[in-house]
Amino acid sequence: MAESELRGPLAKMRAALDGEQAQYQLRVGDDALDLNGLLGNTLKLTFLEQINCVHCGRATKKSFNQGYCFPCFKRLAQCDSCIVSPEKCHYFEGTCREPEWGDEHCMIDHIVYLANSSGVKVGITRHSQVPTRWIDQGAVAALPIYRVSNRLQSGLLETIYKAHVADKTSWQAMLKGSPDEVDLAARRDELAAECANEVAMLQQRFGVQALQAIDSVPPQHISYPVLEYPTKVKSMNFDKQSKVEGQLLGIKGQYLIFDTGVINIRKFGGYQVAFSSLE
């Protein structure tokens, strides 16, 4: 018998930390269902053949940028290429699609960090998104290394660092288990020495106070609710199959791990689904 039945549009899973343990909620319409307690249960998500834009609610045959209709994708600042490539931020050139949105989301303090997800990587996030961003990437440990005044500065710093360390997570490797343990503080110090000259040039450009090194914060360790990792990652996709069903073996990043495959919930924002859980 169904233990939980929900209908509505999917949204990015809500994630938070309880100590070092990642806690997840599945959001379907106005409902938010705690997922950690459903490990081992059989879950079923059925795509109802309808997609609604996560911003304006318009029905759309195709989703862009994880949930937007095409007009919103072309119009909104949050869908601009500079969101993926923050070093291309053009706010100061006066060409931001939505300057007020930029004021609220880009012209605020950002954190440049190192994370261990499928290996060590450099990344950036708004200060308010710590530690959510790390959980979304499936990082088992993360360490802030700089606090900067805006998104552009974080992107320029990230560009310097990614000449020496990865800036992407291999999601397949992340879902196969935990990466080898890394001393992130030691790696931070090594990279600081390697990048010192270029970082000094940025500080001359923006001011020392705009780019502040962080060296007194310990790494944040994160564990995930996973009973069993897959040996082979099989991705499930609502654009190719209407039903995703299986025993929930784990949750990591924005992925649900089933005995039948894995699905990236964030990718299908705005997809109307029916959800049920069985013991």
Side-chain angles (χ1 to χ4, degrees), residues 208-220:
V208 174
Q209 293 303 312
L211 289 80
Q212 298 185 22
I214 301 172
D215 55 16
S216 59
V217 176
Q220 173 66 61

Side-chain angles (χ1 to χ4, degrees), residues 229-267:
Y229 285 105
T231 55
K232 184 177 181 181
V233 176
K234 175 189 174 185
S235 181
M236 296 187 286
N237 186 329
F238 283 133
D239 294 328
K240 297 179 179 179
Q241 61 189 95
S242 62
K243 185 186 297 184
V244 169
E245 184 174 7
Q247 184 185 18
L248 182 64
L249 297 180
I251 315 157
K252 192 175 185 185
Q254 279 289 314
Y255 287 85
L256 297 182
I257 303 170
F258 294 101
D259 59 347
T260 52
V262 306
I263 185 167
N264 181 352
I265 293 297
R266 187 173 191 175
K267 181 178 179 180

Side-chain angles (χ1 to χ4, degrees), residues 59-187:
T60 177
K61 292 183 179 180
K62 183 178 180 182
S63 170
F64 296 85
N65 198 32
Q66 299 176 332
Y68 297 87
C69 65
F70 189 70
C72 284
F73 171 68
K74 295 296 291 182
R75 176 177 61 85
L76 297 176
Q78 59 199 278
C79 296
D80 204 346
S81 60
C82 51
I83 298 302
V84 176
S85 303
E87 73 278 8
K88 297 179 182 178
C89 173
H90 48 96
Y91 178 95
F92 294 102
E93 298 171 17
T95 54
C96 181
R97 292 179 179 181
E98 297 175 283
E100 290 184 359
W101 189 91
D103 288 337
E104 183 178 350
H105 294 86
C106 302
M107 305 308 295
I108 60 174
D109 283 5
H110 277 60
I111 299 295
V112 182
Y113 62 85
L114 297 179
N116 187 11
S117 48
S118 57
V120 178
K121 69 176 290 291
V122 64
I124 67 107
T125 191
R126 298 191 304 272
H127 68 91
S128 60
Q129 290 301 104
V130 172
T132 303
R133 177 64 172 162
W134 303 336
I135 302 171
D136 287 346
Q137 292 184 336
V140 298
L143 180 68
I145 59 173
Y146 275 92
R147 189 180 185 104
V148 302
S149 296
N150 56 57
R151 189 172 183 84
L152 173 63
Q153 294 166 2
S154 71
L156 294 173
L157 258 178
E158 183 184 42
T159 297
I160 291 171
Y161 270 74
K162 70 184 184 183
H164 304 272
V165 67
D167 67 329
K168 299 284 192 301
T169 296
S170 169
W171 63 271
Q172 297 96 332
M174 181 269 290
L175 290 173
K176 287 183 177 180
S178 295
D180 293 338
E181 188 173 344
V182 177
D183 186 336
L184 288 180
R187 194 73 182 101

